[in-house]
Each structure stands twice: as structure tokens, then as C-alpha cells.
């Protein structure tokens, strides 16, 4: 199969769909990999490194897309890429189609086989291709919080780890899933006093087991949240209710009790945020104040560390890319039910039920089309 790797064109997107190790794995398996020149530049991989791994560098996106049987990307196609979609092409990337009517229409009109990272599952019923980005964002949340707590960066001048004779900074993490656990690892490592709040008691038991006495766990309710937030230098928002907007767990009123110059990093901002006063921000203008509390609400935090993020993402996507390249879409779906869950559009039909429901389109189970 010809596998195409175009350079990402979405604003401020520096990641890329494959790293040299992935190219090597694909070429060793007998596939041809066409890499658009400078596709890896933003994440620190040179054309020469791709060539060494067996890729052919091609000059234009047009050539990558037109010669490829499968295109591997990071972000969904944007309008200028719609013309590249066609029926005999597999597109393997993040798609997030449910709210994206225009893109869904372009994919259906073209007949492209759209396989979405975000709907692929594993044996535990989790979404393993979303996990790496939550790990990155969770770990970043503490280093970002520590940065903004410095007085010169607008915070209250607290060192999270404290020093001998001086109490450490206090961190409250709301939501103890992937983001929350990774945030806790970093905060504990820095020596902060860490509280994790979750509504799932089993999850709290697990966190208590792995962190022991180095963290405090609290069951989620308005009382524990208000009390813990009021005593915090840094609050990390990390809740997720799958398929729904994040609940507003920290109210504007609660902020009034927080120390002046304390910091909120609301990682859940991409689901609307779990802090009432959260609004989406960008890497170029990441912060704002409400009630003297510094808020950070960047919706694509992993974009700030494209090198780590690219490697983390491709570690998770490569086994599926190899399977698609080996068997093609139809046979790949038949062999691997988790890969099949990634099927979103197939030859002009919506084959993922939630997307069809959200957009009022007809749902065609993928099994009926294979
Ligand atoms: N901003 C970014 O760049 C970025 C990057 C990655 C992930 N995210 C977002 O971070 C959020 C968390 O992702 P995740 O992978 O950790 O999800 P997850 O499902 O692993 O964890 C979510 C946790 O929230 C808990 N929760 C749900 N309702 C709660 C409540 N009322 N009170 C307390 N806890 C509650 C759940 O029990 C669960 O443990 C998601 O919205 C995700 O999209 C954002």
C-alpha cells in the first residue's frame, strides 16, 4: 500500500502523523511511505531522518494525497484539503465529526473511508488513542500552574515544592482520570500538597492505593470542592462526563475565597470547562483573571510540546496504521473489532451511530457494508 504523510495545515498545528520509527515499520512491512517535504519540521524530524527510515519525500500535498491509498494525519482535514478526499482512500486521523457538519458532508460526498482515532477502543472499553494526549495535558497542567504561580508571571509567588521550613504549595485536582492522575504524578513529584477529588469512589480507592499517603482523596460534592478550592494555590480541572459538556463544579462564588494570585488550569475546557468562569484561550493568549484568580484555558495544550505529543500519539496509532496498511479497511475491520469502532464514514455513508444521531443523518452499521 502507498501510505501518505502530509504536513499538517491547521493553524498552530506542529505535530505530524508518523515518526521515523513508524515509517520504518511500514516500509519494513513492504509498504511505500510518501512524506510531504518538511512534514516533520514542527516536531523536530528532518526529511533526511524520514529518508533514512525508508520514506520517499515528495514536494506537494497534492502528490502525497493523490498517490496514497491511505493518508495518516493528526488533525481533521480543513476546507482546503476537502478536494483531496476520494472514494478509494482511507483517511486515518482525529476527525471529531459529531459537531462538524461541513466536514462530514465533504467526507460523505467524496466517499472517503474515514477512520477516526478518537473512536477506536480497547479491551477495557477505553479510547486508547485519546489517552496519550490526556497524559500530556495532565502532566503539563502542573508545570504550567507552577509557571504562572511565579509572581513575575502573574501568580501569588508560591513555589509548589516549598523548601525545608516552609509549607509546600497546595494543589487541588478535580477529576482523577487520565488527566488528573498524570497531574497528580507531577505535583507529587514536585513536593506539593495534593488533593484529588472524584465522584467515582472506586477511582479514589485506586488513587489511594497507588499514591498512598502522598495525596489526599475527597469524594466530589459542592462542599468538599468549595472547601478544598478555598485553600488551594493551584486548581486543575480534569473532569469528563463522556459525551456531555463538563459540569460546572467550581462556581464564581467559590473563587472569592481563593487566595489572590492563585491559579486555575482548566484542562476540561475542551468540553466547556468544569469551572464556571472558564473560557477557551489560545497558546498566544493563554490566560486571563477573574476575581483575582489567574485562569488558563488553552484547548489544545499538547500542541505546545509537539515533539513529545507526536511520539506519544504515534506510539498509540501505529499498530492500527500497520493493520490498515496490511489488510485494507474492510478486512482490517473484520479482523479487529477495536479498529472497526474507528470507522466513521464508509463510501458515502455514516457508520458511527452517535455522529448520525447528532447530525440527523441515516446510520448504516458498518457490518452491513463489509
Ligand atoms: N485542554 C486540552 O488540551 C486537553 C487535552 C487532553 C484532554 N483534555 C480534556 O480533559 C478532560 C479529562 O480527560 P481524561 O482523559 O482525564 O478523562 P477521564 O475519563 O480519564 O477522567 C475523567 C474523570 O472525571 C471524573 N468525574 C466526572 N464527573 C465528576 C464530578 N462531578 N466530580 C469529580 N470528578 C468527576 C470521572 O469519574 C473520571 O475519573 C476531558 O474533557 C478531555 O477532553 C483536554
Amino acid at each position: 500500500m502507498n501510505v501518505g504523510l502530509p504536513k499538517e495545515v491547521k493553524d498552530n498545528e506542529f505535530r505530524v502523523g508518523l515518526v521515523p520509527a513508524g515509517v520504518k515499520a511500514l516500509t519494513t512491512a513492504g509498504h511505500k511511505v510518501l512524506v510531504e517535504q518538511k512534514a516533520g519540521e514542527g516536531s523536530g524530524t528532518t526529511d533526511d531522518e524520514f529518508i533514512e527510515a525508508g520514506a520517499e519525500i515528495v514536494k506537494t500535498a497534492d502528490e502525497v494525497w493523490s498517490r496514497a491509498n491511505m493518508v495518516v494525519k493528526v488533525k481533521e482535514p480543513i476546507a482546503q484539503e476537502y478536494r483531496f478526499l476520494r472514494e478509494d482512500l482511507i483517511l486515518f486521523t482525529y476527525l471529531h465529526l459529531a459537531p462538524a457538519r461541513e466536514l462530514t458532508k465533504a467526507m460523505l460526498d467524496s466517499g472517503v473511508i474515514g477512520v477516526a482515532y478518537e473512536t477506536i477502543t480497547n479491551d477495557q472499553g477505553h479510547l486508547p488513542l485519546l489517552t496519550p494526549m490526556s497524559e500530556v495535558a495532565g502532566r503539563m497542567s502542573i508545570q504550567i500552574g507552577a509557571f504562572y504561580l511565579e509572581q513575575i508571571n502573574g501568580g501569588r509567588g508560591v513555589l509548589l515544592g516549598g523548601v525545608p521550613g516552609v509549607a509546600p504549595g497546595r494543589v487541588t485536582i478535580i477529576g482523577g482520570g487520565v488527566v488528573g492522575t498524570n497531574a497528580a504524578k507531577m505535583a507529587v513529584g514536585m513536593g506539593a500538597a495534593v488533593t484529588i477529588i472524584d465522584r467515582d469512589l472506586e477511582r479514589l480507592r485506586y488513587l489511594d492505593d497507588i499514591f498512598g499517603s502522598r495525596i489526599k482523596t475527597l469524594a466530589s460534592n459542592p462542599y468538599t470542592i468549595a472547601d478544598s478550592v478555598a485553600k488551594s494555590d493551584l486548581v486543575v480541572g480534569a473532569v469528563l462526563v463522556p459525551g456531555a459538556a463538563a459540569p460546572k463544579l467550581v462556581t464564581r462564588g467559590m473563587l472569592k475565597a481563593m487566595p489572590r494570585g492563585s491559579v486555575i488550569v482548566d484542562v476540561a475546557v475542551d468540553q466547556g470547562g468544569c469551572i464556571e468562569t472558564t473560557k477557551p484561550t489560545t497558546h498566544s493568549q493563554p490566560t486571563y483573571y477573574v476575581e483575582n484568580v489567574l485562569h488558563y484555558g488553552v484547548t489544545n495544550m499538547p500542541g505546545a510540546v509537539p515533539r513529545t505529543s507526536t511520539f506519544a500519539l504515534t506510539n498509540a496509532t501505529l499498530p492500527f496504521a500497520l493493520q490498515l496498511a496490511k489488510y485494507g479497511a474492510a478486512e482490517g475491520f473484520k479482523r479487529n473489532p477495536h479498529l472497526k469502532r474507528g470507522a466513521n464514514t464508509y463510501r458515502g455513508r455514516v457508520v458511527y451511530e452517535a455522529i448520525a444521531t447528532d447530525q440527523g443523518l441515516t446510520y448504516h452499521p458498518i457490518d452491513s457494508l463489509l
Side-chain angles (χ1 to χ4, degrees):
M1 184 180 272
N2 281 356
V3 179
L5 184 68
K7 188 172 163 69
E8 293 294 322
V9 282
K10 195 167 175 171
D11 185 40
N12 266 316
E13 180 53 65
F14 299 108
R15 290 172 292 177
V16 64
L18 287 169
V19 294
V23 171
K24 181 98 187 152
L26 283 159
T27 52
T28 304
H31 307 293
K32 189 167 193 57
V33 182
L34 308 161
V35 177
E36 184 180 348
Q37 66 178 351
K38 298 190 175 168
E41 202 176 42
S43 50
T45 300
T46 62
D47 286 352
D48 285 345
E49 287 171 293
F50 278 128
I51 291 170
E52 213 167 292
E56 176 188 335
I57 302 294
V58 299
K59 284 220 165 67
T60 62
D62 283 62
E63 193 179 345
V64 172
W65 284 88
S66 63
R67 287 177 60 197
N69 309 108
M70 170 168 74
V71 161
V72 180
K73 265 173 67 58
V74 177
K75 296 304 283 186
E76 73 284 357
I78 60 172
Q80 72 193 71
E81 294 171 307
Y82 292 174
R83 67 193 169 91
F84 297 135
L85 304 177
R86 53 173 214 274
E87 179 149 1
D88 59 348
L89 179 74
I90 302 169
L91 175 61
F92 187 43
T93 188
Y94 284 122
L95 284 171
H96 297 290
L97 286 184
R101 282 176 193 277
E102 226 180 86
L103 172 60
T104 306
K105 183 173 182 318
M107 295 193 57
L108 295 177
D109 288 350
S110 70
V112 69
I113 299 171
V115 186
Y117 292 167
E118 70 274 10
T119 59
I120 285 178
T121 49
N122 63 13
D123 286 341
Q124 291 74 44
H126 298 157
L127 304 170
L129 274 49
L130 276 185
T131 305
M133 295 304 101
S134 285
E135 290 168 338
V136 169
R139 290 181 184 215
M140 281 179 74
S141 67
I142 300 300
Q143 84 185 40
I144 286 166
F147 174 83
Y148 285 113
L149 276 171
E150 290 176 20
Q151 193 146 4
I152 46 168
N153 299 322
R156 67 185 302 243
V158 166
L159 180 66
L160 277 184
V163 288
V166 181
R170 289 157 303 184
V171 178
T172 295
I173 299 167
I174 309 175
V178 180
V179 168
T181 305
N182 280 277
K185 277 187 185 157
M186 294 299 111
V188 163
M190 279 183 165
V194 181
T195 301
I196 307 181
I197 300 178
D198 204 293
R199 66 173 179 177
D200 177 351
L201 295 183
E202 279 311 314
R203 188 69 194 172
L204 292 181
R205 280 190 188 101
Y206 166 77
L207 293 169
D208 185 79
D209 278 345
I210 61 167
F211 288 109
S213 58
R214 298 200 297 171
I215 59 154
K216 192 164 88 179
T217 58
L218 289 173
S220 179
N221 60 54
Y223 179 85
T224 52
I225 291 173
D227 188 51
S228 193
V229 161
K231 295 174 187 149
S232 292
D233 300 295
L234 170 62
V235 172
V236 175
V239 308
L240 176 65
V241 178
K248 304 290 179 205
L249 301 175
V250 176
T251 62
R252 180 183 278 266
M254 292 180 194
L255 298 191
K256 294 189 205 294
M258 287 183 79
R260 189 186 179 84
S262 48
V263 174
I264 291 177
V265 177
D266 196 352
V267 185
V269 60
D270 59 344
Q271 299 292 328
C274 58
I275 317 288
E276 189 183 353
T277 44
T278 290
K279 60 179 188 200
T281 61
T282 60
H283 288 294
S284 43
Q285 279 207 311
T287 61
Y288 60 96
Y289 288 90
V290 179
E291 305 286 356
N292 297 314
V293 174
L294 188 146
H295 290 52
Y296 174 99
V298 174
T299 49
N300 63 331
M301 293 169 64
V305 288
R307 194 165 170 86
T308 303
S309 300
T310 291
F311 281 85
L313 177 63
T314 56
N315 283 342
T317 56
L318 182 63
F320 297 101
L322 281 165
Q323 231 170 3
L324 282 168
K326 181 167 182 188
Y327 298 113
E331 186 58 26
F333 295 156
K334 282 184 200 157
R335 285 173 178 262
N336 184 343
H338 297 306
L339 178 61
K340 189 162 73 178
R341 291 293 294 158
N344 279 205
T345 65
Y346 192 82
R347 302 192 192 289
R349 295 185 169 89
V350 179
V351 293
Y352 196 85
E353 193 166 9
I355 296 167
T357 308
D358 278 11
Q359 299 206 22
L361 297 168
T362 308
Y363 164 58
H364 299 265
I366 182 74
D367 286 327
S368 66
L369 305 174
L370 298 178

